Amino acid sequence: ETGVTQSPTHLIKTRGQQVTLRCSSQSGHNTVSWYQQALGQGPQFIFQYYREEENGRGNFPPRFSGLQFPNYSSELNVNALELDDSALYLCASSLPQRNTEAFFGQGTRLTVV
Amino acid sequence: GEDVEQSLFLSVREGDSSVINCTYTDSSSTYLYWYKQEPGAGLQLLTYIFSNMDMKQDQRLTVLLNKKDKHLSLRIADTQTGDSAIYFCAESIRNSGYALNFGKGTSLLVTP
């Protein structure tokens, strides 16, 4: 148990729809990072939030957006879903610049049909 | 980001040592990591090494770092069937809040 919880655990959406995934960070961790893990691949960095501001972004289009709330929980929003967005979405919480203590949630499995 | 390279598969017998290799890309990476992922699960941090170290040992795990060749390895001593999983090498990305750049993972199968 890492203390990082993600919801929902599984989700099926239709191409073109929008989805919101949620993450509650470990107590005291004010930095949240999101990753996309396609089947058979390593996780790919989407973006990171620190104190409610985006603090870094990977090579993902603007239809991937996020929020961080004052309690440090976070949301990942994906608009105009595409079939290739089907993946496991992982959230990790940490202290800033201390990814030695980054803890991952169990992930949300998104299937786009 | 650029690719962190790992071999895709490794099979060992129970009780033997396993060595998983990785080549990373960013010579300025501060930390290098090994994560374990079991089927249907998230990522578990196994160990990490600071870039100014050559070796780190943690119980059955030994990490070796060759900065000149940007080569990282993970040795698991006395491998058990419970060690069967996918192992990911990752480097920190300095210009993205030290987020992680992962390899594609090495699938380790431990046979009795």
Side-chain angles (χ1 to χ4, degrees), chain A residues 10 37 39-41 88 90 105-107 109, chain B residues 35-44 81-88 106-110:
Chain A
H10 296 83
Q37 186 179 18
L39 199 60
Q41 302 294 315
L88 180 68
L90 294 162
Q106 294 300 295
R109 173 73 63 188
Chain B
Y35 281 85
K36 176 183 179 182
Q37 187 176 39
E38 296 183 75
L43 295 171
Q44 175 194 352
T81 53
D83 294 324
S84 293
I86 301 176
Y87 290 79
F88 292 95
T106 298
S107 182
L108 173 65
L109 175 64
V110 182

Side-chain angles (χ1 to χ4, degrees), chain A residues 13-21 47 57 60-66 76-85 89 110 112:
Chain A
K13 287 285 191 178
T14 303
R15 189 171 49 182
Q17 285 188 314
Q18 178 265 343
V19 70
T20 297
L21 309 182
F47 44 56
R57 189 177 181 94
F60 280 80
R63 60 190 185 83
F64 286 77
S65 63
L76 163 66
N77 299 289
V78 188
N79 292 323
L81 283 166
E82 300 176 0
L83 297 179
D84 284 349
D85 295 333
Y89 288 85
L110 172 66
V112 182

Side-chain angles (χ1 to χ4, degrees), chain B residues 27-41:
Chain B
S27 58
S28 67
S29 290
T30 309
Y31 289 97
L32 295 143
Y33 305 83
W34 285 102
Y35 281 85
K36 176 183 179 182
Q37 187 176 39
E38 296 183 75

Side-chain angles (χ1 to χ4, degrees), chain A residues 88-99:
Chain A
L88 180 68
Y89 288 85
L90 294 162
C91 164
S93 76
S94 63
L95 295 170
Q97 300 187 4
R98 294 279 299 276
N99 277 297

